Amino acid sequence: MTHIVDQVSFGAIVQVRDRLLEQQARGRKVLRLESGDPSFDIPVHVREAMEKALRDGHTHYTASTGIPILRKAIYQKVTTENKLTVPNDDHVVVTNGAMHGLYILFRAMLEEGDEVILPDPMWTEIAENIRLGGGKPVAVRLREENGYQYDPAEIEAAITPRTKAIFVNTPQNPIGVVASRATLEAIAQIAERHNLLLVSDEAYEHVLYDGAEHVSLGSLPAAQNRTISVYSMSKTYAMSGLRLGYLVVNDPLLLERIKKLVRCTINGVNSVTQYGAAAALTGPQDATKAMAQEYQKRRDILFDALEEAPYLKAFKPGGAFYLWARILPEWPGYDGKRDDWSMTNYLIDAAGIGSSPGSAFGPAGRDHIRFAFSCSTAQVEEAARLLPDVLAKAGK
Ligand SMILES: Cc1ncc(COP(=O)(O)O)c(C=O)c1O
């Protein structure tokens, strides 16, 4: 039997990043559209709160599930903005990014062989964290012809006696689709009918375009008592490197297990980051709005370029900062291959443009490509300028 950790990959995006960095080190200009890391600085008041925390000597162990002022700020935010029903701030657990939150959540929730339904394509780490928790990911395909909405009927058809939970992510990585209220209501009702848990990953809750509405799954009556909500400060406040996320867990047994796992894995998030996060949540929110506006501008620039480029059919995302495109059968290929990796490799070699091959996100991602527009506007503009021509020259 292979060790459970040996089943985890090193990640396609890391491979692309390494190639780009290698080219950059050799003096080549590269455009970093391969991964989702906000280009912005953290808001000034967040930096100041962190500097003050350092000056005030807040450099010791904290309460392992988070400092009280942060947990209170999160409780306020999730009960008012996300409209979650939460008994008190003891049900909020601060984690080392949403990634760590997901890891301990699946570890706490699953027993060997339990199944979790998730969309395909999906950010790779979800299936890997389900496996690390002893579970089995069960994929439900997101279909272009349905505008990539998660299909409740297909979810229900995937349920077996071993199904423990349905994982939902909106806005979604890698497609950028925003789940409609009707889709979420239907999923909540399925979960209620089959007595399943719901995991709601809302890492991109504030990265929304064209006035799209973010609905928190846990706010829906049928979902209220069965949802574990997962949030991140990485995208909303550009705090990706500072590593802070949080879970909202109503179920007392799950909460108890999660608290034990926090103690045994990190025993509390970096104290200084926690003060920054409290300032981010309680302070002015204009930086978040300004970032979303800038992302929308980048989305439009890149989408228009892909519309003009041959061999791709792009989907216009309603949220998150990814552009997902289907590679058309006419793609001539590169280096003797015609798959999604061949397009990613071609764009690196021909123009120094980073992207992620769709197959990195699951079988349904095959023959697709993802461009992240979280790098600077200048880089997105440059990539948009180059892409139509570079693709047109492929195979010639
Ligand atoms: C869907 C989704 N959830 C969670 C995360 C993790 O965010 P964090 O930086 O808080 O670990 C990401 C990061 O890319 C993501 O795409």
Side-chain angles (χ1 to χ4, degrees):
M1 254 221 2
T2 46
H3 192 281
I4 192 166
V5 183
D6 293 337
Q7 296 173 25
V8 174
S9 72
F10 267 110
I13 299 173
V14 175
Q15 284 178 51
V16 174
R17 186 190 305 146
D18 288 351
R19 283 193 59 192
L20 287 166
L21 292 178
E22 194 189 299
Q23 299 213 0
Q24 195 174 35
R26 284 199 255 114
R28 183 162 194 218
K29 184 171 171 191
V30 295
L31 302 169
R32 306 290 309 277
L33 280 77
E34 80 285 3
S35 65
D37 187 3
S39 59
F40 301 98
D41 287 336
I42 54 172
V44 175
H45 64 280
V46 174
R47 198 192 65 221
E48 285 171 356
M50 293 179 69
E51 286 166 354
K52 182 170 182 323
L54 263 180
R55 277 198 308 275
D56 292 349
H58 291 307
T59 51
H60 299 273
Y61 288 127
T62 69
S64 75
T65 57
I67 56 174
I69 56 159
L70 175 57
R71 271 190 289 138
K72 279 199 178 63
I74 294 170
Y75 175 75
Q76 271 300 319
K77 180 251 176 196
V78 297
T79 50
T80 54
E81 189 185 324
N82 301 103
K83 302 192 172 54
L84 302 184
T85 304
V86 190
N88 53 55
D89 61 27
D90 190 44
H91 292 262
V92 168
V93 178
V94 177
T95 61
N96 195 30
M99 174 94 90
H100 171 246
L102 287 159
Y103 173 74
I104 57 174
L105 168 58
F106 288 127
R107 189 73 196 85
M109 176 194 283
L110 301 175
E111 290 184 49
E112 201 61 37
D114 279 349
E115 294 174 2
V116 180
I117 294 174
L118 79 171
D120 176 18
M122 184 60 225
W123 183 52
T124 329
E125 281 77 350
I126 299 299
E128 292 183 332
N129 276 322
I130 291 169
R131 282 193 205 98
L132 287 172
K136 182 176 162 216
V138 174
V140 165
R141 200 180 182 110
L142 302 184
R143 296 177 193 280
E144 189 181 347
E145 58 272 28
N146 298 340
Y148 291 112
Q149 287 285 328
Y150 219 171
D151 182 343
E154 289 198 42
I155 292 175
E156 193 152 29
I159 293 172
T160 75
R162 288 310 308 263
T163 308
K164 184 81 185 178
I166 304 169
F167 172 86
V168 179
N169 170 223
T170 180
Q172 205 252 8
N173 179 6
I175 296 178
V177 59
V178 176
S180 69
R181 185 178 281 275
T183 298
L184 295 175
E185 271 168 357
I187 293 172
Q189 277 154 20
I190 291 169
E192 191 175 46
R193 259 202 310 281
H194 296 268
N195 194 22
L196 302 175
L197 293 170
L198 290 164
V199 177
S200 179
D201 179 338
E202 301 176 37
Y204 298 90
E205 61 179 326
H206 296 110
V207 188
L208 292 165
Y209 310 125
D210 311 318
E213 180 198 21
H214 173 72
V215 178
S216 292
L217 183 57
S219 70
L220 304 177
Q224 199 168 296
N225 294 322
R226 57 185 70 252
T227 303
I228 302 92
S229 306
V230 184
Y231 297 94
S232 168
M233 304 295 281
S234 297
K235 324 289 175 177
T236 300
Y237 301 102
M239 290 172 66
S240 49
L242 297 173
R243 310 304 303 131
L244 197 138
Y246 49 95
L247 298 174
V248 182
V249 191
N250 279 349
D251 182 274
L253 177 60
L254 258 185
L255 180 64
E256 200 178 289
R257 289 183 189 158
I258 283 170
K259 285 181 175 176
K260 290 179 187 170
L261 289 173
V262 168
R263 182 170 60 77
C264 294
T265 50
I266 58 167
N267 198 22
V269 168
N270 179 314
S271 55
V272 174
T273 293
Q274 293 193 57
Y275 283 90
L281 288 167
T282 53
Q285 303 297 307
D286 23 331
T288 297
K289 293 194 187 92
M291 286 190 270
Q293 277 169 13
E294 193 65 18
Y295 289 133
Q296 181 162 329
K297 195 170 120 192
R298 296 175 190 174
R299 176 201 65 166
D300 291 343
I301 294 168
L302 193 58
F303 182 78
D304 289 349
L306 295 184
E307 287 268 280
E308 223 186 281
Y311 312 128
L312 289 176
K313 173 84 184 77
F315 172 76
K316 197 170 205 169
F321 32 57
Y322 306 105
L323 238 154
W324 184 250
R326 178 161 54 84
I327 302 173
L328 301 177
E330 302 83 55
W331 163 241
Y334 177 60
D335 210 13
K337 301 198 180 71
R338 296 187 59 228
D339 59 359
D340 46 340
W341 265 111
S342 76
M343 188 177 276
T344 292
N345 287 334
Y346 171 71
L347 292 174
I348 298 173
D349 292 347
I353 299 174
S355 65
S356 304
S359 54
F361 303 98
R366 220 171 277 147
D367 297 323
H368 290 73
I369 189 163
R370 189 197 77 172
F371 296 96
F373 47 92
S374 47
C375 57
S376 71
T377 303
Q379 289 201 28
V380 173
E381 281 170 345
E382 176 80 355
R385 194 177 60 72
L386 294 172
L387 274 164
D389 267 4
V390 172
L391 282 170
K393 285 191 190 123
K396 301 212 167 101

